[in-house]
Amino acid sequence: MNKPYLKPLCLAIGATLMLSACGQSEQATAPAKPATNASVPATATTTAAAPVVKKNPFDISELDPNISACQDFNGFVNAKWAAAHPIPDDFSSWGAFSELEENSLATQHDIVDAMNKSADSAQAGSIEQKIGWLYRSGMDEATINKAGAAPLKPELDQIAALKNGGDVADFIAQRYNEGDSYVFNFGPGPDFQNAKIQIGYANEGGLTLPTKDYYSDPKYADIRAAYVAYIAKLLQLTGVSEADAKSQANDVLKFETALAAASLSPVDERDPKNQYHFATVKEADKITPHFSWDKFFAAQGITIDKGFSLSQPKFFAEFDKLLASAPIAQWQAYLRFHAIDGSANLLSQDFQDARFAFYGQTLSGQPKQKPRWKRTLDAVNGGMGEALGQLYVAKVFKPEAKQRAEELVENIHNALKTRIENVDWMSAETKAKAIAKWQTFLPKIGYPDKWRDWSGLQIKPDDYYGNMLATQKFNYHYDLAKIGKPTDRKDWGMTPQTVNAYYSSQDNTINFPAAILQPPFFDASADDAINYGGIGAVIGHESSHGFDDEGSQFDGDGNNKNWWTKQDRAQFEARTAKLVQQFNDYTPLKDKPDLHVNGKLTLGENIADLGGLNVSYDALQNVLKQHPEEAAQSIDGYTPDQRFFLNWARVWRDNVREKLLIVLINSDPHSPAALRTIGPPSNMEAFAKAFQCKPGDAMVRPADKQVKIW
């Protein structure tokens, strides 16, 4: 069971990375009085100490007075917290996002527990009944364990009956109609050349290891060996002999290695030129003469008129080559393993344990599996996430939170416009087009305006595997129905209960689910500095993605169109090159000094962090000008400017297991959280001024290396 998908550009990769997310220059009013170069706060002296009338949501006892804010801002804000909060055994990381996600999960758990208890008497066909039965079926360990691998037998029998490449092609098409993807991914998206219309996108896939390098680089030999052992273990659990399982496992690795050689690197994946290749069905068939796209689309029950995006022709040519030349036994081994691997979490405990041993322990360093209720809740979110979100919003999301968030969005939106207008390196011609794009931003806050209809989905109280197959097919065809229709900019790519946010360059929307609109990001009763350093910077981050190295290649309508003069683009790239170098220089692991952050891979997120923090800071200054009494206040001895940066750092606090951090450095477009804490502020004069940092301090980058983009 392998789910096809297209990814939005997020703030982070879920809780494990710290946004996730999917997605993707400092002039300020002087603070009342900055803190000293040491770590202790200064007392604001512009006005006699005014009584604090707003809630104080920041605990200054967490700050470490032995660490200078000007030398290690992350340590100053987060070192004591990190030492006091070891990663729980059933987590691969633990931080501010994790805590917020746990709160969201606790609420969701209450909801699904209640739905489970009342499902039999609930209105027939209601989302309450379906969610209750889906969760109940997933919690029925006895039935699931008794079934073992039996639910997979029909699919494994189909694979065993394949005789040639033509059979393989038919099998892939047939399984796709069930919402089950093999080798590549397929789904809808706005046309790069006419974003108002949805077309089909076929994208490379089919790999298991984190990046293509894991298949060939000698330093990952141990991981490859562990992967082969994992493949063999899963095959044995379905009745394959030990010797045959080892042979088939080697075939799977060989097959995926061939696919990997034709696949993109994580850096190349970010380039829009590698994300779109429009082709008619006949043109696509020439690239894959052994795989008929006519037959594939017919099997999906859809009609492709003008064409679709065969996004990575090199990959699909290799796929076709393997259809023609790979031994059928190798194809069977590959398909058999992916059928089992994609379904392992829905099968008996021995399958789940084997899967966790590889993905959880080997790749992520996590000692213990999450409890069953969390794993089942993950499945409910995967299958009926928006329906659960509808119940979540009704239970916890308050209208005043949405209203306050809308005010923040408007203030930051206006601050972004001012920054664009004031940049000194861009011509009036390009600025006008940037402002035109700015004018078309669509913010979406909390939850969809219209909820999905789930009436066509059939759920049973006692068939977990069958239920998840049903949700998979239902959701896949829900997405396919968008192809050929107008793009709905109000459609959401995340559920309301997700602790994340994202920007979509193809519809120019910024999206903030309800679950992220909570402390430490957002607190309606907190001082403005805290909110602008938290959710304000997130709003600025997502807005800045529209003008990062990738988003800047799309216009306000979402078309992949160059709106830059040649000279302005060169100026932009010279500035972003300095940001690439800044992050290339970081080595997050002390015992691995040769492992550097990839500044090109993380460039989009780093631009968004830097732009978002600057924009939100400007928006805060505008608010403080309107409320001089707040600007003159210090809370616990910290000025509004200082509290702004303190909350920015707190948001990114994170403890990460080394194994996971290595995988993320190699594959993820987000920089490690500790570096997101220090990287952007070290480029901002406002930060140095707030904490009285001096040239030569670690948190003050030399003038010739400071990065100013937006």
Side-chain angles (χ1 to χ4, degrees), residues 33-68:
K33 174 149 184 194
T36 63
N37 195 331
S39 306
V40 295
T43 302
T45 57
T46 307
T47 307
V52 176
V53 294
K54 292 188 177 181
K55 175 184 175 183
N56 178 12
F58 193 98
D59 182 1
I60 64 165
S61 70
E62 293 181 341
L63 304 178
D64 192 335
N66 298 312
I67 299 176
S68 167

Side-chain angles (χ1 to χ4, degrees), residues 635-656:
I635 299 178
D636 289 332
Y638 286 91
T639 66
D641 281 23
Q642 291 167 341
R643 288 172 65 78
F644 170 85
F645 288 110
L646 290 175
N647 202 36
W648 165 260
R650 179 174 62 166
V651 159
W652 295 111
R653 59 177 39 160
D654 188 29
N655 279 325
V656 188

